[in-house]
Amino acid sequence: MITIPYLTALTTYFSYGLLFAYGKIRDFSRSIIDRLFPSSVKGSAPMSLVNDDFYIRRLYNRIQDCFGRPISSAPDAWFDVVVRYSNDNNKTLKRTDKVKRCLNLGSYNYLGFAAADEYCTPRAIESLQRFSASTCSPCVDGGTTTLHSELEECVAKFVGKPAALVTGMGYATNSAIIPVLIGKGGLIISDSLNHCSIINGARGSGATVCVFQHNTPSELEKVLREQIAGGQPRTHRPWKKIIVLVEGIYSMEGELCKLPEIVAICKKYKAYIYLDEAHSIGAVGKTGRGVCELLDVDTADVDVMMGTFTKSFGSCGGYIAGSKELIQYLKYACPAHLYGTSISPPAAQQIVCAIKVLLGEDGSNRGAQKLARIRENSNFFRSELQKMGFEVLGDNDSPVMPIMLYNPSKIPAFSRQCLKQNVAVVVVGFPATPLLLARARICISASHSREDLIRALKVISNVGDLVGIKYFPAEQKEHQEDGALEQD
């Protein structure tokens, strides 16, 4: 639970109120002009909702240069950001031929596989020449190659489950599979900060959805007990099925799921567990097998394991792993498998090779080195940010570390100042986060060297002083070291 300082909350509300009032005044002035000089062209009904349209025009457009920045190179430790400009106060952005070489602190390239790799890249190119870029078909209609079969076996073995199913899109893995697992008469209990794909999948299922306080096992048990006692709405019949949805690492908080406690509670109340390991698989654990390995949880106790290949494996798509009966059922019923084009063969080959590197099956120890480096880099960077006085969310070993900004004016200020000093960061605000909880989300990679991280820390520290986001006092030791450096 994030506790916002009173003054910070007050100034944040004031800033949003000012933006809202200024936007409404401009809209009112515009309506008067339209009435005085009506247009002869009658248009159709607006596609966007009034409130959404207002937010985009009056708030988002002011800072849209901080989002969707195009890049022109692989998302490695350093990448090329395309320079853009606007001649109409940020309503539209135009790309130039210029690029800016920046330190990449925004991509989910946790293990560094997104760039050219000595083992993965040649084999991915070879598979492109053999299978082409796309199967042009769903899995059930001729889109399953020998690579796809090998990938499913490889994933099942890696995560410790009897069988697995892969899809071409990580988001669709949740949104398309959850409605197949549960329907009307079932109960979904979801963490309050679960990803949008989980939320949409739960909504589309037709099941009753309850939410428990983020990562709080005691609240989960309270909700389970109340819902089991009450039964289904109106009829009070027993629930046909209960599924608890949680994430391994929460992508906006960088927190590890309290999985051992949640597993114990679900066993007690006979509820199924659905674990989303999009950000944890490959990134944490001694051999990269995710939070189950890190927290010493038997994978047999987790009924459905989901993950994506877009983070640690440098590819695309997602997977579901579980019992053979479950996976066979999903292959008959899941629309992502029945109608979606199967994952691209070169992307499948990339995933297989990345897993082999992690397991040491490439004949080297590069996988173990990558896992050790991502852990060291993450813990070093988090520790240093906290010493500087930043409010950093998340747990140790997590490569995701949000820095709290709060005030909407600090979102563009932090992003633009970092970019000016060749550091590319991702900033996040409402509606992706609650209104008061805007943040910069730093993602660390095994491809970052210690020199890269020290450079990034210096830039972020300078920008933090300039923008005013060091909400805690810096450690005295840091000031003494800075003074010694100045004297030298």
Side-chain angles (χ1 to χ4, degrees):
M1 183 68 68
I2 303 171
T3 303
I4 310 172
Y6 178 77
L7 183 61
T8 302
L10 188 65
T11 56
T12 302
Y13 273 128
F14 178 78
S15 297
Y16 274 113
L18 195 64
L19 287 169
F20 182 83
Y22 184 65
K24 286 297 183 182
I25 291 170
R26 291 192 65 182
D27 279 5
F28 178 72
S29 303
R30 184 66 193 176
S31 67
I32 294 175
I33 294 172
D34 289 342
R35 288 179 183 178
L36 293 175
F37 306 98
S39 173
S40 59
V41 180
K42 294 184 178 180
S44 304
M47 292 290 289
S48 59
L49 300 175
V50 175
N51 290 336
D52 291 348
D53 181 56
F54 176 83
Y55 183 84
I56 292 168
R57 288 184 294 105
R58 300 307 184 198
L59 280 78
Y60 175 79
N61 280 351
R62 292 172 173 271
I63 63 172
Q64 71 165 319
D65 59 296
C66 300
F67 306 100
R69 288 171 177 154
I71 64 173
S72 59
S73 65
D76 203 0
W78 289 78
F79 61 1
D80 296 327
V81 178
V82 177
V83 177
R84 298 179 294 175
Y85 70 95
S86 176
N87 292 325
D88 53 8
N89 296 319
N90 253 15
K91 289 182 180 178
T92 59
L93 294 168
K94 297 181 180 180
R95 285 179 289 181
T96 68
D97 295 331
K98 299 178 181 178
V99 297
K100 196 177 184 73
R101 191 69 174 169
C102 294
L103 180 60
N104 180 8
L105 294 181
S107 298
Y108 304 133
N109 183 26
Y110 297 143
L111 295 181
F113 283 118
D117 182 83
E118 61 187 71
Y119 183 80
C120 301
T121 305
R123 288 162 178 78
I125 293 173
E126 183 183 343
S127 69
L128 173 64
Q129 295 170 341
R130 179 183 175 189
F131 293 104
S132 83
S134 173
T135 61
C136 299
S137 178
C139 292
V140 295
D141 293 339
T144 302
T145 67
T146 54
L147 262 180
H148 293 86
S149 299
E150 181 185 0
L151 174 60
E152 290 181 343
E153 292 174 4
C154 191
V155 169
K157 177 184 175 184
F158 183 68
V159 301
K161 281 292 185 181
L165 175 149
V166 298
T167 65
M169 182 182 179
Y171 180 95
T173 307
N174 278 329
S175 61
I177 284 179
I178 292 174
V180 180
L181 295 176
I182 191 169
K184 188 176 180 180
L187 173 65
I188 290 175
I189 302 180
S190 178
D191 188 287
S192 61
L193 295 183
N194 272 339
H195 189 263
C196 178
S197 60
I198 296 178
I199 295 170
N200 288 340
R203 286 174 178 171
S205 68
T208 300
V209 181
C210 292
V211 174
F212 70 95
Q213 185 178 329
H214 170 60
N215 215 14
T216 309
S218 60
E219 286 296 314
L220 169 62
E221 183 170 16
K222 180 181 177 182
V223 173
L224 268 169
R225 190 165 54 244
E226 289 175 353
Q227 291 301 321
I228 291 173
Q232 296 184 40
R234 294 192 298 275
T235 64
H236 302 292
R237 292 176 180 173
W239 298 102
K240 294 179 180 178
K241 188 187 301 181
I242 301 176
I243 297 182
V244 176
L245 308 180
V246 293
E247 296 185 39
I249 291 179
Y250 292 89
S251 59
M252 285 295 173
E253 285 69 38
E255 295 177 358
L256 295 168
C257 173
K258 294 180 180 178
L259 194 58
E261 296 92 333
I262 290 173
V263 165
I265 291 169
C266 289
K267 279 185 174 182
K268 179 179 178 181
Y269 293 94
K270 302 297 187 291
Y272 292 110
I273 300 178
Y274 182 105
L275 175 64
D276 179 343
E277 289 217 81
H279 287 267
S280 54
I281 192 67
V284 297
K286 185 177 180 181
T287 59
R289 287 179 165 90
V291 291
C292 287
E293 182 178 50
L294 180 68
L295 302 177
D296 196 24
V297 174
D298 189 348
T299 55
D301 293 332
V302 180
D303 303 287
V304 185
M305 299 181 71
M306 176 271 177
T308 64
F309 305 121
T310 53
K311 282 82 178 176
S312 297
F313 304 100
S315 188
C316 62
Y319 69 85
I320 288 285
S323 66
K324 290 183 179 180
E325 294 78 13
L326 171 65
I327 299 304
Q328 193 62 46
Y329 166 69
L330 291 176
K331 288 185 176 182
Y332 291 144
C334 176
H337 182 78
L338 295 172
Y339 306 114
T341 302
S342 61
I343 191 169
S344 169
Q349 183 66 72
Q350 165 72 21
I351 301 161
V352 171
C353 291
I355 292 175
K356 287 183 177 180
V357 171
L358 290 181
L359 297 176
E361 294 178 7
D362 64 330
S364 73
N365 65 341
R366 290 194 307 121
Q369 291 175 353
K370 284 178 178 288
L371 291 166
R373 197 176 304 121
I374 181 64
R375 183 167 56 252
E376 292 169 3
N377 285 353
S378 299
N379 292 338
F380 167 75
F381 204 82
R382 182 184 303 277
S383 173
E384 292 302 311
L385 286 174
Q386 291 170 339
K387 289 177 183 177
M388 291 175 180
F390 291 102
E391 184 174 359
V392 185
L393 305 185
D395 298 316
N396 284 336
D397 288 351
S398 170
V400 182
M401 47 200 75
I403 301 174
M404 298 309 298
L405 303 177
Y406 297 118
N407 200 293
S409 63
K410 296 180 180 181
I411 299 173
F414 184 80
S415 177
R416 290 166 183 164
Q417 288 299 321
C418 284
L419 185 66
K420 191 179 291 185
Q421 300 183 51
N422 298 85
V423 174
V425 297
V426 170
V427 287
V428 189
F430 181 82
T433 66
L435 189 68
L436 299 183
L437 303 182
R439 64 200 66 180
R441 183 175 62 179
I442 305 298
C443 292
I444 299 300
S445 171
S447 61
H448 288 133
S449 66
R450 183 55 62 94
E451 290 74 22
D452 292 336
L453 299 181
I454 292 173
R455 173 186 170 83
L457 287 166
K458 289 180 180 178
V459 170
I460 291 174
S461 179
N462 292 336
V463 174
D465 290 330
L466 181 65
V467 177
I469 56 172
K470 293 184 177 180
Y471 295 103
F472 299 110
E475 286 191 6
Q476 190 66 28
K477 180 181 177 181
E478 180 187 291
H479 290 306
Q480 290 174 351
E481 290 175 352
D482 290 343
L485 288 172
E486 289 175 4
Q487 290 176 3
D488 291 341

